[in-house]
Amino acid sequence: MSSVYGPFRYSPVTAREPYRMKNGAKVAVCVFPNIEFFPLNMVIPRAGASGKIPDVPGWGMRDYGNRIGVFRLIELLNRYGIRGTVALNSDICTHHPQIVEACLAHKWELMGHNETNVTRLNEVPESEEDGIIVRTVEAIERATGERPKGWLGAGLQETWRTLPLLHKAGIEYVADWCNDDQPYNMSIGDGEKLACIPYSFELNDKMAYEAYTCTPDEFAGMLRRQFDVLYREGETQARVLPIALHPYLSGAAHRIDALDRALEYMCGHEKVWLATGSEIATFARDL
């Protein structure tokens, strides 16, 4: 149903009880690699796109991420014991199963992220939304043996029907809303709930590099400054620090070392929990 506010209660952080996460952590760091598939015979939604097919330059950049960049990210995160929470276009399971195998080998968590990244749920006919969600979830389950628990919409887009449809498909948490530093519960009707976990437009390499034109060191600086503030605030209110990464951006050779330094800095602190999306979602029940 349409509404002037979200399907959750307004909760100012100043009115919340003191809060801790696993092992008394002040900050839960959750890394979201966005592993996406862009069909060569479809228009890529990007700034400055020509709208023509094939878009060889735009497509080639993204294919580099799936051929090279994602494996740099896997190596880096594995070095720090970070299990990625992957926003996965399910067509990756069909066209690049080697990537899925690599993620599973390191016990990464896989979320649904539509079938491809060229289709947004709010851009298709209403009758198609349910099918996209179901096909995405079932394709990931077939490829991995486990049904995904989380969802991040392509472009973070939803319709008024998305949350109930996700719940019906067995999804337990979403990350589309980007409106809090802590997880919380959303009401989707009939007494049913869906957890919402923090995700970020700001701590997102796509925004940093493509919109804000940051250098790698500037992006790493953003991550460190965000961590410092959340770590300080986490003394009484534990926070989640989400980091959104795209293999074709942060997996580039000239950017990976800056990300490395930022992760090294965070992991050098006590009371930091390197968490996955589903692990964070479990704490929504207590908020």
Side-chain angles (χ1 to χ4, degrees):
M1 298 292 292
S2 63
S3 172
V4 297
Y5 193 67
F8 37 79
R9 63 183 178 86
Y10 170 65
S11 174
V13 68
T14 52
R16 301 177 194 176
E17 294 294 324
Y19 181 68
R20 277 283 183 273
M21 291 191 180
K22 185 176 180 180
N23 298 326
K26 296 181 181 180
V27 175
V29 175
C30 189
V31 180
F32 294 91
N34 286 237
I35 302 180
E36 299 166 339
F37 187 79
F38 293 84
L40 185 58
N41 61 353
M42 296 181 70
V43 174
I44 295 175
R46 65 185 179 96
S50 66
K52 296 181 179 179
I53 301 172
D55 179 358
V56 172
W59 183 88
M61 287 176 60
R62 287 154 179 78
D63 195 44
Y64 178 91
N66 289 337
R67 295 164 69 95
I68 305 292
V70 67
F71 299 103
R72 283 200 185 106
L73 289 179
I74 289 173
E75 179 184 7
L76 174 59
L77 297 186
N78 186 54
R79 193 183 312 149
Y80 292 104
I82 296 172
R83 296 169 54 209
T85 300
V86 178
L88 185 73
N89 287 161
S90 62
D91 276 6
I92 289 286
C93 300
T94 301
H95 298 285
H96 307 318
Q98 300 93 329
I99 295 177
V100 176
E101 292 167 5
C103 292
L104 294 178
H106 295 288
K107 296 181 170 56
W108 283 18
E109 181 177 333
L110 306 181
M111 297 192 299
H113 190 48
N114 289 30
E115 294 170 291
T116 78
N117 227 55
V118 303
T119 303
R120 272 57 168 156
L121 293 180
N122 63 347
E123 296 175 349
V124 300
E126 185 177 295
S127 60
E128 295 183 17
E129 182 177 11
D130 192 18
I132 290 172
I133 291 171
V134 169
R135 289 194 300 271
T136 298
V137 169
E138 292 182 347
I140 294 174
E141 183 177 23
R142 284 195 303 272
T144 66
E146 185 174 352
R147 203 169 184 86
K149 297 179 180 179
W151 182 271
L152 181 76
L156 281 67
Q157 299 297 333
E158 296 186 3
T159 73
W160 298 113
R161 303 171 64 247
T162 301
L163 297 178
L165 291 175
L166 290 173
H167 182 264
K168 186 178 74 170
I171 294 297
E172 299 176 7
Y173 73 88
V174 299
D176 292 333
W177 292 75
C178 302
N179 65 344
D180 211 301
D181 288 333
Q182 294 177 330
Y184 60 88
N185 286 306
M186 300 191 294
S187 175
I188 56 173
D190 297 325
E192 300 292 345
K193 294 182 178 181
L194 202 60
C196 182
I197 69 169
Y199 189 75
S200 180
F201 287 115
E202 295 285 321
L203 299 185
N204 188 315
D205 60 0
K206 190 170 180 65
M207 290 296 294
Y209 292 129
E210 296 184 346
Y212 304 150
T213 64
C214 290
T215 66
D217 286 340
E218 287 171 339
F219 180 53
M222 288 171 58
L223 297 177
R224 289 182 57 156
R225 290 192 299 274
Q226 182 89 358
F227 176 84
D228 286 342
V229 173
L230 296 188
Y231 193 79
R232 182 174 68 240
E233 294 174 340
E235 192 65 44
T236 55
Q237 287 286 353
R239 311 292 176 117
V240 177
L241 193 157
I243 305 174
L245 303 175
H246 296 73
Y248 76 97
L249 293 170
S250 287
H254 65 96
R255 296 188 181 110
I256 194 75
D257 287 348
L259 176 62
D260 189 348
R261 291 190 294 271
L263 294 177
E264 181 182 27
Y265 177 76
M266 296 176 194
C267 293
H269 288 68
E270 297 180 346
K271 295 187 178 180
V272 173
W273 178 28
L274 305 177
T276 65
S278 62
E279 289 172 335
I280 291 169
T282 62
F283 284 79
R285 301 189 186 101
D286 299 325
L287 291 176

